[in-house]
Amino acid sequence: SNHETLYSDDILDLLTHLVDKSLVVVEREQGQEARYHLLETIRQYAREKLYDSGEGEAMRVHHCGWYSQLAEQAAPELIGPAQVEWLERLGVEHDNLRAALEWSLGRGDHETVLRMAGALQEFWKIRSFFQEGIRWYETSLAALPGEPAPSDWYARALVGRGTLAWYVGDLGTLEKYILKAQAIYQALDDPGGVAHTLAILASVPNSTGDADGAEDLYQRSLELRQKIGDRGGIAACLHGLSNAAKMRGDLKRARTLLEQSAAIRRESGDLWRLMNALGDL
């Protein structure tokens, strides 16, 4: 009890005491933070006692808040030089993230679910949790009591849902959600968001062999991204334009564009997208 009055030193002392009595297990891996967990029988007993004390709901709120913040903190890191570190961290915490999503969904807090899902879309995409991500989006979007007001978190969730659709070959669903997100970004006067949706929509003609359609959308996106100085977005458009050039058989132009894209990815530290550019080269 009185958990809000505990300081970090107090918590460490308590954990050490519990570890010494074999009630809590500590895992230490080289180069990583120590992690603590309970044996299953102890966990069930402790959970019953926690809820008997009347503090179960409060601890759920703390847990969900902490993991919501972690997801938001991770989102920009997943496209930068700390990408590998954050992929590993989210991988270790995946069950905790799932628990926070499940609890938020169960209490009807769909905004929190969609905010977290929007923040986790890069993790799910890179680590190939396509179907799981789609389930979180679909379940929460379907349960919304009404259409939310235009907001960045809602548009980002729609982008996440549409993007994951591409990875399972569902181009119709991709267009549906990305066009919806685009309308929100336009209402918010967010050129970066609009540019992002244009590039994602270009993946449809890119997938169907329509070089003209793909090039038009990538070029429109590129112009917006150049205006706002979005280096990562510029790299994405250069990669997309290289695909259009390849469809036309212009391999020299395709190679030049890919080399330019890869140079930006190397500079930014986005290893996953650098890998994709090098693979296409």
Side-chain angles (χ1 to χ4, degrees):
S1 62
N2 299 321
H3 52 81
E4 293 181 358
T5 65
L6 291 174
Y7 295 98
S8 57
D9 288 345
D10 299 324
I11 293 171
L12 186 58
D13 286 343
L14 284 169
L15 276 173
T16 302
H17 182 67
L18 291 168
V19 169
D20 289 343
K21 291 186 174 296
S22 299
L23 294 172
V24 170
V25 179
V26 60
E27 295 177 344
R28 293 186 179 92
E29 293 188 23
Q30 188 172 359
Q32 295 186 9
E33 294 176 324
R35 293 183 62 81
Y36 299 84
H37 66 88
L38 296 168
L39 299 174
E40 183 60 21
T41 51
I42 301 296
R43 189 191 71 80
Q44 291 177 4
Y45 176 76
R47 185 175 184 274
E48 289 175 9
K49 289 298 182 183
L50 176 65
Y51 277 89
D52 287 346
S53 74
E55 294 187 21
E57 192 75 4
M59 292 308 297
R60 278 288 199 182
V61 170
H62 283 298
H63 179 275
C64 185
W66 199 92
Y67 281 98
S68 296
Q69 285 185 327
L70 181 70
E72 293 284 354
Q73 184 182 358
E77 302 289 352
L78 291 172
I79 56 174
Q83 181 180 79
V84 173
E85 174 189 334
W86 277 90
L87 285 169
E88 290 177 353
R89 185 171 184 183
L90 292 179
V92 169
E93 297 288 6
H94 205 178
D95 282 341
N96 274 313
L97 292 161
R98 288 172 173 134
L101 286 163
E102 190 70 52
W103 184 73
S104 298
L105 190 64
R107 70 197 297 254
D109 186 357
H110 305 295
E111 179 176 337
T112 293
V113 177
L114 292 174
R115 280 182 179 275
M116 288 185 67
L120 291 170
Q121 60 184 275
E122 283 293 315
F123 170 67
W124 286 333
K125 182 170 67 177
I126 295 173
R127 286 294 170 87
S128 301
F129 289 103
F130 309 133
Q131 296 292 355
E132 178 172 352
I134 286 170
R135 283 197 301 273
W136 287 117
Y137 285 122
E138 286 288 279
T139 304
S140 202
L141 287 168
L144 284 171
E147 191 71 17
S151 64
D152 179 72
W153 67 263
Y154 184 45
R156 187 168 62 168
L158 295 171
V159 165
R161 175 63 186 96
T163 300
L164 290 182
W166 188 86
Y167 287 90
V168 296
D170 188 352
L171 299 182
T173 296
L174 180 151
E175 278 195 300
K176 171 186 169 182
Y177 284 102
I178 300 303
L179 285 171
K180 197 171 181 180
Q182 186 176 90
I184 294 173
Y185 284 128
Q186 288 169 338
L188 295 172
D189 194 22
D190 181 346
V194 172
H196 189 39
T197 57
L198 286 169
I200 299 172
L201 286 170
S203 62
V204 176
N206 187 51
S207 297
T208 58
D210 178 3
D212 290 342
E215 190 168 64
D216 175 62
L217 288 166
Y218 283 126
Q219 191 61 46
R220 286 164 58 193
S221 178
L222 178 62
E223 289 168 6
L224 284 172
R225 284 167 156 170
Q226 286 172 331
K227 285 181 182 178
I228 62 176
D230 177 5
R231 296 280 290 164
I234 290 168
C237 291
L238 292 172
H239 195 150
L241 287 168
S242 78
N243 288 333
K246 185 169 63 175
M247 278 190 271
R248 290 198 171 92
D250 188 348
L251 299 186
K252 183 178 179 181
R253 174 171 164 75
R255 183 181 185 86
T256 298
L257 290 166
L258 273 169
E259 287 173 342
Q260 293 172 355
S261 179
I264 296 173
R265 298 304 191 192
R266 191 175 283 109
E267 170 192 302
S268 70
D270 187 342
L271 297 181
W272 187 71
R273 288 173 179 78
L274 172 60
M275 173 196 72
N276 290 331
L278 294 175
D280 280 1
L281 274 169

